[in-house]
Amino acid sequence: MKKAAVFLADGFEEVEALTPVDYLRRAGVELITVAIPSPTMKEGKTVTGSHKIPVIADTTLKEYLAKYADNEPDLVFCPGGSVGADNLSECAELLEHLDKCYDDGRYVSAICASPAVVLGKTKVPEGKRWTCYPGMQKESHPDYQLKYEDKVFITDGKLITARGAGAAEEFAMELIRLLCGDEVAKKIHDGTLQR
């Protein structure tokens, strides 16, 4: 069974985070939601989205790293939301983990502000084509900005990035295709009556 982890910090964009969570679980992926600490968090696993929707994550970052430090999931994912991306980007342990996942051949994915704000602080986008919420590319490392493209989503090797909430469904389906194959992706696509 394929495994994936989604990192949630206060201010995450709910559609961008929970659409992939829902679809990946429908596809049979063992998906773990991970609460990333931030100054505004009230409880250890409760993370509040940008539209004030609280979500109880499966685990904390500390617990997750203890379990997956040497055996990372097949895919890791950072949702956007301006405040959420900023909070993710301030977590040095997470940034280090994202680099390690990439070095170990795992898929690293992000949407909206996170490709620029979070992954822009890692070595993951180096030499790769990528996208993000239009205008946010300026928040990334200057060298990475040269490979930015204004597309709905882009897969370049083990890096998958997308523009924003409106791209969440297509992005989630790309993650399923990469992890589970075309047949499973078609089954989820047809079963959920997607466009």
Side-chain angles (χ1 to χ4, degrees):
M1 178 184 283
K2 296 292 186 178
K3 294 181 182 177
V6 176
F7 303 112
L8 304 174
D10 276 357
F12 73 92
E13 211 299 328
E14 293 91 340
V15 170
E16 294 168 2
L18 299 180
T19 301
V21 167
D22 181 298
Y23 282 9
L24 285 163
R25 285 186 173 168
R26 287 175 194 246
V29 173
E30 183 184 322
L31 187 133
I32 308 126
T33 54
V34 183
I36 304 302
S38 67
T40 55
M41 276 184 73
K42 293 185 174 79
E43 297 175 35
K45 293 182 187 175
T46 300
V47 188
T48 304
S50 61
H51 298 96
K52 309 301 178 214
I53 300 172
V55 171
I56 301 170
D58 297 318
T59 190
T60 63
L61 179 63
K62 184 176 181 179
E63 293 166 344
Y64 165 82
L65 289 175
K67 185 173 182 179
Y68 293 101
D70 296 317
N71 186 25
E72 304 96 355
D74 302 286
L75 180 140
V76 291
F77 167 50
C78 297
S82 181
V83 173
D86 285 342
N87 282 331
L88 292 177
S89 77
E90 294 301 315
C91 181
E93 287 177 299
L94 174 62
L95 298 177
E96 195 175 297
H97 180 68
L98 294 171
D99 274 332
K100 185 175 187 310
C101 288
Y102 193 73
D103 285 345
D104 290 346
R106 309 302 195 245
Y107 287 108
V108 177
S109 57
I111 190 170
C112 194
S114 283
V117 175
V118 180
L119 298 185
K121 287 187 170 181
T122 71
K123 61 185 172 186
V124 175
E126 190 174 330
K128 299 288 183 189
R129 295 169 43 249
W130 63 285
T131 193
C132 66
Y133 191 86
M136 292 300 299
Q137 69 271 20
K138 296 171 188 160
E139 302 296 316
S140 186
H141 188 283
D143 291 345
Y144 300 164
Q145 293 176 33
L146 302 172
K147 292 280 196 168
Y148 167 80
E149 296 179 21
D150 187 14
K151 306 250 174 148
V152 175
F153 72 88
I154 294 174
T155 299
D156 189 348
K158 296 287 185 171
L159 173 64
I160 309 101
T161 53
R163 275 200 303 217
E169 184 179 77
E170 290 177 79
F171 177 68
M173 294 308 300
E174 176 69 354
L175 301 182
I176 290 170
R177 186 187 70 76
L178 292 167
L179 286 181
C180 306
D182 292 333
E183 189 175 320
V184 173
K186 182 174 183 348
K187 180 180 175 187
I188 301 301
H189 177 276
D190 294 349
T192 55
L193 305 177
Q194 294 179 35
R195 299 169 284 244

